[in-house]
Amino acid sequence: MAVPRIRQLRAYTVRGGGADYHDQAAGHWIDDHIATPMARYPEYRHSRQSFGLNALGTLVVEAEADDGSVGLGVTVGGEPGAWIVEKHLAGLVEGQRVTDLEKIWDQLYLSTLHYGRKGLVLNTVSGIDLALWDLLGQVRQEPVYHLLGGAVRDELVFYATGPRPDLAQKMGFIGGKLPLRHGPAEGEEGLRANLDALAAMRQRVGDDFWLMWDCWMSLDLDYATRLAHAADEYGLRWIEEPLLPDDYWGHADLRRRMPARMLLTAGEHEATRWGFRLLLETGQVDIVQPDVGWCGGITELRRIAALADSHGKAVVPHGSSVYSYHFVLSRPNSPFAEFLMMHPDATEVVPMLHPLLLDEPVPEGGRLRVPDRPGFGVRLNRELDLSRPHTH
Ligand SMILES: C[C@H](O)[C@H](O)[C@@H](O)[C@@H](O)C(=O)O
Ligand SMILES: [Mg+2]
């Protein structure tokens, strides 16, 4: 039987939510005074959009085969990512067989080494890889988790990220991850405000519900050490991305200094098996959190997860909707998943990548049975203002 070949790789950009879920309208919790490394500059402390967190916007990648099947991948990448897809990488992918994911990934990574390795370029490689896994699922008429070796559990359980763990608890999630609001630039007053907020939330949810802090790379070793020890009184389950992603050595120092029962997690801004080797072996993190749309796609995430497993570490992908759900379903060392509460006040469950996808499933009662539809089981919302890259 002739294996279909990839006829065309197309890129689109779109603004307003979607894969660039930080690209929200004013007033959304996700842009409301969250601690970041830029907070040392007071003018950028109130909003992450103020320094361009949403500068890129969503990148949509479509891969069409010569049998008419179409695969869909999404990531953060916008116009520059679309240009890389159509003006560089499409030429390497078109004409290849839909089955040849490993060879294609190798060529995408090696052909962009001189300007890639992480960040926007690996986001773009990831977006293409996701589209190709979806395409293979469409051609084979099987969900991606079947292609990954099948399910190791019946359903997924989730923790929720957002400002309302108390509501997440009522909705059936297994824990709530709070964005940390104040970093070192706001001194002891900010540290106290962080702890007061954690204490108040612990009071609301009781002692048995997981509470975590997402520090979004905003702290230094001294502040993170003091914060972790003070937060241990309130049973903080994990402290996430406390330091700069390149400071693998600082993570190891923090791991040695922080309370033993508290977990150190990181990885959403890391890419490739080499980056995660550093995070695991040098950084000594307890849980790695790759984003499947940023780390190299499913093809690379398989390698990252196997590496983590060899260290006895869990892989809990950063919130990336269906693109990580199929992976988590198929991995023994992915015991739960993240759900980002993208409602502006986090008061209800809405699709994480809204309004980008049709048929995007959401947890009910904090749980989800992944639909058995082909590929990742979602379709592009063509009602959106989708733009192709400028070719000049
Ligand atoms: C909520 C966090 O500040 C980030 O916005 C989020 O994208 C990420 O860090 C996460 O772990 O969900
Ligand atoms: Mg995070």
Side-chain angles (χ1 to χ4, degrees):
M1 181 193 79
V3 174
R5 291 185 179 273
I6 299 155
R7 191 183 65 75
Q8 189 183 43
L9 202 59
R10 294 184 292 271
Y12 302 89
T13 61
V14 64
R15 299 298 317 202
D20 191 350
Y21 54 85
H22 288 113
D23 189 26
Q24 300 291 340
H28 197 290
W29 71 263
I30 209 162
D31 202 41
D32 176 18
H33 198 119
I34 290 174
T36 79
M38 284 286 281
R40 66 177 64 160
Y41 304 103
E43 65 272 30
Y44 295 121
R45 205 169 284 171
H46 67 290
S47 149
R48 293 187 288 189
Q49 288 188 17
S50 72
F51 63 77
L53 177 56
N54 62 326
L56 289 176
T58 291
L59 170 63
V60 173
V61 180
E62 277 190 329
E64 183 171 341
D66 53 20
D67 72 349
S69 305
V70 178
L72 173 66
V74 301
T75 184
V76 176
E79 285 277 345
W83 196 97
I84 294 169
V85 170
E86 297 219 6
K87 309 308 285 180
H88 179 190
L89 300 181
L92 286 87
V93 175
E94 290 166 357
Q96 300 233 37
R97 303 189 316 165
V98 296
T99 49
D100 295 0
L101 301 176
E102 287 288 352
K103 182 174 78 172
I104 293 170
W105 194 94
D106 201 40
Q107 292 174 352
L108 293 177
Y109 179 69
L110 297 180
S111 65
T112 55
L113 267 181
H114 57 295
Y115 71 103
R117 299 178 57 232
K118 290 181 193 287
L120 168 65
V121 177
L122 257 288
N123 290 13
T124 304
V125 168
S126 301
I128 294 170
D129 185 74
L130 295 176
L132 295 178
W133 276 93
D134 190 43
L135 178 60
L136 187 55
Q138 301 301 333
V139 168
R140 295 245 172 99
Q141 284 295 287
E142 293 206 66
V144 167
Y145 78 86
H146 281 188
L147 308 178
L148 287 169
V152 299
R153 51 184 64 85
D154 294 333
E155 60 181 5
L156 303 183
V157 295
F158 293 83
Y159 75 88
T161 296
R164 296 301 304 272
D166 54 329
L167 298 182
Q169 182 182 34
K170 294 183 173 63
M171 295 173 191
F173 289 96
I174 61 171
K177 182 167 78 179
L178 285 158
L180 188 76
R181 293 200 179 283
H182 309 285
E186 296 180 78
E188 294 310 303
E189 190 181 333
L191 182 66
R192 187 69 261 153
N194 287 331
L195 292 167
D196 290 347
L198 180 61
M201 192 51 74
R202 177 54 75 200
Q203 186 72 29
R204 286 196 205 176
V205 299
D207 291 339
D208 301 329
F209 187 65
W210 288 356
L211 286 178
M212 297 76 85
W213 255 330
D214 190 313
C215 306
W216 211 77
M217 309 173 279
S218 63
L219 308 181
D220 58 45
L221 179 58
D222 172 62
Y223 190 102
T225 302
R226 292 192 295 130
L227 185 72
H229 278 281
D232 193 41
E233 178 184 344
Y234 307 107
L236 191 75
R237 184 76 182 95
W238 76 62
I239 188 166
E240 178 171 324
E241 269 209 313
L243 306 175
L244 295 180
D246 291 328
D247 187 5
Y248 305 103
W249 305 271
H251 283 79
D253 289 341
L254 179 57
R255 180 59 275 175
R256 281 190 291 275
R257 296 177 177 200
M258 61 192 272
R261 71 173 183 167
M262 188 182 295
L263 300 177
L264 174 61
T265 74
E268 73 187 65
H269 295 106
E270 190 53 82
T272 78
R273 73 206 81 155
W274 298 285
F276 281 90
R277 181 176 177 186
L278 265 172
L279 201 50
L280 287 159
E281 293 181 7
T282 304
Q284 294 295 308
V285 300
D286 299 298
I287 295 178
V288 288
Q289 303 165 303
D291 185 298
V292 71
W294 304 345
C295 71
I298 291 277
T299 306
E300 192 65 358
L301 183 53
R302 277 195 304 194
R303 292 188 265 262
I304 292 165
L307 177 65
D309 202 16
S310 72
H311 287 268
K313 300 290 172 66
V315 179
V316 180
H318 169 249
S320 32
S321 190
V322 290
Y323 294 99
S324 53
Y325 297 167
H326 285 252
F327 191 83
V328 171
L329 192 64
S330 70
R331 292 304 105 164
N333 64 321
S334 292
F336 52 88
E338 175 181 10
F339 187 75
L340 254 159
M341 297 292 279
M342 291 313 297
H343 181 276
D345 305 316
T347 50
E348 58 182 275
V349 170
V350 298
M352 181 192 158
L353 302 185
H354 177 79
L356 190 59
L357 302 175
L358 303 179
D359 310 325
E360 183 182 2
V362 294
E364 287 174 26
R367 297 168 174 276
L368 176 72
R369 283 183 176 276
V370 176
D372 262 349
R373 296 189 288 263
F376 293 106
V378 289
R379 291 173 295 135
L380 178 60
N381 176 3
R382 295 192 178 280
E383 306 275 306
L384 296 176
D385 177 16
L386 298 164
S387 331
R388 296 291 295 279
H390 298 300
T391 49
H392 47 273

